[in-house]
Amino acid sequence: MLQHFYFPEKFRKWIMGCITSTWFSLKVNGDHIGFFKGASGLKQGDPLSPFLFVMSMEILSRILRGIHKLHQVSYHPKCGRIGLNHMIFADDLMLFVRGDVPSVRAITSSLDFFAKMSGLVGNPDKTNIYMGGIRENIKREILNATGSTEGDFPFRYLGVPLNEGRLNKTMFVDLLSKVQGALNHWTTYKLSYTGKISLINSEGGFNIKEILSWKKCVICKWIWGLINQSDGFWVTWNYSYNIKQGDFWTLQKKSTHSESWRSILQVIDELVAMAGSGDNAKGLLQSCVRKGKLRLHLLYDHFRQRGNTMSWTKAAWNRALLPKHSFFLVMVMQRKLATIDQLNIRGLYMVNRCTLRKMDNECHKHFSFNAAILLWYGGRF
């Protein structure tokens, strides 16, 4: 394999020396006890192991691509345009193939050929076939041809929940995004969360980001990748099956789209409405780019709901104060302390008497200012 990839001979000898001359020692109570020779080469966790494993999987990838070039296998209906037939993440392998017996037989033969070549054999107990939109008689033929068991829906792959509908139609956008690590999977959920307004410090808030607005900012990172047509299966797949030759800024939602793609289209519509046109929306995103990267904290200012600037916030968020004191002052100025008058408004009826001065009612103003002045003078005396 190393020779096939044109590694220098001297380098190949170093690698083979590391693999064939491994020795191990046991550490007992802090001391190394004896040595014994390794029987299976590198062990899992060896720094060299991941690099060699990746090159070994490249051989498998070339074998799988080769059988498609020889027209021995038909692509999955949602993979043919980009030539996708498998994905590998660490030691997890997922194969995509059209649901017919000849294609499945060819894939199985390729795996057997690779196993004989490399010694890497799939674990039957962790291998399943998942089929969607296939007649029962074809299913039985496929299972008999492979000797594998049929998996049940739904199942998870790398944390992505997959069901039969998504496997048959629209799962690839979510799965590809998870595997390449370019997207945050939590944003595949619907944009239906209606959170409270979260203001910044100067507007009387606590600088806690409002989740829906921040979620839209994260989705804009996906949109920015699509605009620039960055490398990656996720971008390629969407241009092949969702965008095609259409206008990026006027795409319409369809029932066959995945949740993540519908969320993207929803944010695209909001960007166009906010900026006035697709070109202006692109310019808005460009204005938030620093050193080649889209800065979400700059984009957040465009999506968040704004409040009025408060004159007292500089005093409340003074660096000389402890954070808990700043928090308390903001609660006072926003009239959000759970005083008895506020509890009564919320239906929690209590005897409204100040614990310091029994003749006064405990209202927000009395507790925050009158009682504070009384305590201050009491402290001085």
Side-chain angles (χ1 to χ4, degrees):
M1 179 192 69
L2 295 173
Q3 184 176 359
H4 176 76
F5 288 136
Y6 299 104
F7 282 95
E9 181 180 0
K10 188 175 184 179
F11 183 80
R12 297 201 305 267
K13 289 182 179 179
W14 289 345
I15 297 298
M16 296 310 298
C18 292
I19 296 175
T20 59
S21 61
T22 55
W23 290 80
F24 298 92
S25 176
L26 298 179
K27 193 173 185 178
V28 180
N29 296 330
D31 296 325
H32 289 88
I33 307 297
F35 292 89
F36 60 93
K37 183 173 175 51
S40 302
L42 300 178
K43 295 295 184 181
Q44 185 174 2
D46 189 290
L48 189 60
S49 180
F51 298 101
L52 297 178
F53 181 79
V54 168
M55 287 191 288
S56 299
M57 292 300 102
E58 176 61 23
I59 298 296
L60 174 61
S61 296
R62 296 187 181 196
I63 292 173
L64 294 174
R65 286 196 296 266
I67 60 176
H68 280 280
K69 290 181 180 179
L70 296 174
H71 304 289
Q72 297 177 352
V73 177
S74 299
Y75 282 107
H76 187 282
K78 290 293 183 179
C79 296
R81 293 178 187 173
I82 62 173
L84 175 67
N85 61 6
H86 72 286
M87 289 193 298
I88 303 174
F89 186 84
D91 58 348
D92 286 321
L93 171 65
M94 179 171 276
L95 299 162
F96 308 106
V97 65
R98 191 177 187 87
D100 58 67
V101 177
S103 295
V104 175
R105 285 186 185 275
I107 287 287
T108 304
S109 299
S110 299
L111 294 177
D112 293 340
F113 174 71
F114 177 72
K116 292 177 182 178
M117 177 192 299
S118 64
L120 298 174
V121 182
N123 186 342
D125 296 331
K126 297 182 179 179
T127 302
N128 289 299
I129 297 179
Y130 297 91
M131 295 176 277
I134 300 176
R135 296 193 303 271
E136 289 299 324
N137 60 323
I138 302 297
K139 282 187 178 182
R140 288 192 294 270
E141 288 187 50
I142 290 174
L143 294 175
N144 291 333
T146 61
S148 301
T149 58
E150 182 179 4
D152 296 325
F153 292 100
F155 71 98
R156 287 182 173 271
Y157 180 73
L158 303 180
V160 180
L162 303 176
N163 55 48
E164 186 171 358
R166 292 162 70 87
L167 182 64
N168 194 32
K169 295 180 179 180
T170 62
M171 58 153 277
F172 293 97
V173 63
D174 297 316
L175 186 57
L176 290 171
S177 66
K178 182 68 175 181
V179 172
Q180 79 176 36
L183 311 175
N184 293 333
H185 180 59
W186 65 275
T187 54
T188 61
Y189 303 125
K190 292 181 179 179
L191 287 173
S192 58
Y193 174 80
T194 53
K196 297 180 180 179
I197 298 176
S198 183
L199 303 176
I200 62 176
N201 287 349
S202 62
E203 297 171 358
F206 301 103
N207 265 3
I208 299 174
K209 289 181 173 59
E210 193 269 308
I211 188 171
L212 180 58
S213 298
W214 185 251
K215 182 176 181 180
K216 293 175 182 177
C217 295
V218 175
I219 292 178
C220 284
K221 196 170 184 179
W222 305 14
I223 296 173
W224 186 245
L226 291 169
I227 292 174
N228 295 298
Q229 298 190 32
S230 58
D231 294 334
F233 269 132
W234 184 81
V235 173
T236 304
W237 192 92
N238 277 298
Y239 268 97
S240 298
Y241 288 94
N242 285 332
I243 301 175
K244 300 178 183 178
Q245 303 299 322
D247 182 6
F248 179 82
W249 298 103
T250 58
L251 296 173
Q252 301 296 319
K253 296 179 183 178
K254 297 181 180 179
S255 59
T256 56
H257 287 159
S258 65
E259 293 292 349
S260 62
W261 188 248
R262 284 198 287 268
S263 297
I264 289 174
L265 295 182
Q266 182 176 336
V267 175
I268 288 176
D269 292 340
E270 291 191 28
L271 283 172
V272 173
M274 185 188 307
S277 67
D279 291 337
N280 292 341
K282 183 178 179 180
L284 187 152
L285 294 177
Q286 181 66 54
S287 67
C288 299
V289 174
R290 298 292 186 273
K291 296 182 179 181
K293 293 185 178 181
L294 185 68
R295 302 300 179 181
L296 301 189
H297 69 279
L298 298 177
L299 192 60
Y300 179 70
D301 284 335
H302 295 282
F303 281 103
R304 71 179 183 88
Q305 300 184 54
R306 296 178 177 273
N308 297 324
T309 301
M310 303 295 180
S311 58
W312 49 264
T313 55
K314 289 185 178 180
W317 295 107
N318 192 317
R319 290 186 177 182
L321 298 178
L322 294 176
K324 63 179 181 181
H325 296 160
S326 297
F327 180 86
F328 178 79
L329 285 176
V330 173
M331 295 291 287
V332 169
M333 299 305 297
Q334 295 283 20
R335 298 184 58 82
K336 292 182 179 180
L337 292 179
T339 50
I340 294 179
D341 64 328
Q342 294 293 323
L343 295 176
N344 289 343
I345 293 175
R346 299 170 188 174
L348 301 174
Y349 297 104
M350 304 172 64
V351 178
N352 194 351
R353 285 290 182 271
C354 176
T355 57
L356 296 176
R357 300 180 64 184
K358 302 298 183 181
M359 70 289 296
D360 296 326
N361 290 334
E362 184 188 292
C363 64
H364 198 278
K365 181 178 179 181
H366 172 79
F367 177 80
S368 303
F369 297 99
N370 296 355
I373 292 174
L374 178 63
L375 288 172
W376 184 71
Y377 274 108
R380 292 189 66 184
F381 296 136

